[in-house]
Amino acid sequence: MLAKKLPARLLASWAFWLSLLVLASLRVVEVEGPESRRLILLGPWQEVRVEFVNSVTGKPVLLEFHPLWAFQGFRAFTDPETEAYYTGGEYPWNERLARERRKELRYCSEVGLALALGGRWFQAVGGCLRVRLLWPP
């Protein structure tokens, strides 16, 4: 009788641990825009992108990062003039961004911005998008 229960117990144990692992690897992100609020499920290594045009230089800016334990692993892509606008030419932008860890981000733009999360795009023109990592706490 014990021999018949053992495989069922092992299977239940593996299912429990696998379920726990899957739950631990999910990221719950809230996106709030001018007209809506949505919850998105992401994996910790999925890329998040923010795209906008700098209103002073008129050049495009792309930010990429991941929702690992916080929003982190930031990288910025733009031209040297726009990078100097943000840094005053005083420091390497990507080195500083790489150290950032945030649970909440807010991006605002008068001319428009786009945010990509898990294959979904959100846009704001003349407004802001707020992104909060709700899980893990």
Side-chain angles (χ1 to χ4, degrees), residues 7-52:
R9 292 173 96 189
L10 286 174
L11 182 60
S13 174
W14 279 103
F16 170 77
W17 289 110
L18 184 60
S19 297
L20 192 60
L21 181 64
V22 167
L23 268 173
S25 69
L26 287 179
R27 301 298 182 254
V28 179
V29 178
E30 177 187 52
V31 180
E32 184 179 351
E35 301 166 8
S36 67
R37 182 181 296 185
R38 297 199 56 194
L39 293 178
I40 307 292
L41 292 177
L42 297 175
W45 293 280
Q46 281 187 274
E47 192 171 76
V48 180
R49 298 170 60 105
V50 177
E51 299 176 4
F52 59 93

Side-chain angles (χ1 to χ4, degrees), residues 55-107:
S55 59
V56 173
T57 65
K59 305 290 183 173
V61 178
L62 168 63
L63 302 173
E64 294 178 342
F65 50 95
H66 302 279
L68 202 50
W69 298 108
F71 294 123
Q72 59 194 72
F74 290 87
R75 294 177 302 166
F77 302 93
T78 191
D79 67 293
E81 178 187 358
T82 304
E83 182 174 341
Y85 169 79
Y86 288 113
T87 65
E90 296 294 318
Y91 56 89
W93 197 15
N94 280 314
E95 285 180 29
R96 182 82 51 98
L97 285 173
R99 295 190 299 250
E100 290 288 321
R101 306 281 186 276
R102 306 277 177 161
K103 290 284 190 172
E104 182 172 330
L105 300 166
R106 184 178 182 96
Y107 294 103

